[in-house]
């Protein structure tokens, strides 16, 4: 299974069936910037990452996303050795690419 992940930190609205809000929409748009098996995060996520993270962040600059009135600063998150490598968008022979979105609420765990 290949995933494209977009992450943003924001308040959301939820009911029994779904999660809503501008933050959900922004995370979905950031996922659209990601290549196969990549993670793209907003500057709000970047600001909350801990020191010593065993990954590199590639600054994608200010990105204009569909249905967003302002640009969004985005970063590609990846293994330290993979930064700078452009995503490969070709699928293996016979593979089909499907589009979907999953929004998972995180529990805040404080020491």
């Amino acid at each position: 299974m290949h995933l494209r992940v977009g992450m943003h930190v924001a308040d959301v609205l939820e009911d029994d069936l779904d999660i809503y809000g501008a933050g959900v929409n922004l995370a979905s748009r950031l996922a659209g910037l990601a290549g196969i098996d990549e993670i793209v995060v907003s500057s709000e996520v970047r600001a909350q990452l801990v020191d010593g993270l065993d990954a590199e962040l590639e600054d994608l600059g200010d990105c204009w996303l569909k249905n967003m009135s302002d640009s969004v600063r985005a970063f590609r998150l990846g293994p330290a050795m993979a930064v700078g490598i452009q995503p490969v968008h070709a699928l293996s022979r016979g593979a089909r690419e499907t589009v979907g979105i999953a929004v998972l609420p995180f529990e805040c765990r404080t020491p």
Side-chain angles (χ1 to χ4, degrees), residues 25 27 59 69 101-102:
N25 294 337
D59 190 349
S69 58
I101 181 171

Side-chain angles (χ1 to χ4, degrees), residues 4 31-38 76 86-92 97:
R4 299 171 195 257
L33 294 176
I36 295 172
D37 295 331
E38 286 186 340
R76 180 180 295 133
Q86 295 301 313
V88 176
H89 294 284
L91 295 173
S92 61
E97 182 177 3

Side-chain angles (χ1 to χ4, degrees), residues 12-21 24 101-103:
V12 297
L13 304 171
E14 63 180 303
D15 61 22
D16 292 335
L17 301 175
D18 214 342
I19 298 176
Y20 308 92
V24 174
I101 181 171
V103 178

Side-chain angles (χ1 to χ4, degrees), residues 39-42 45-47 49 53 55-60 74-80 83-84:
I39 301 170
V40 173
V41 302
S42 67
V45 172
R46 184 195 183 284
L49 294 174
L53 178 70
E56 295 290 330
L57 289 167
E58 180 182 352
D59 190 349
L60 300 177
F75 299 85
R76 180 180 295 133
L77 178 66
V83 168

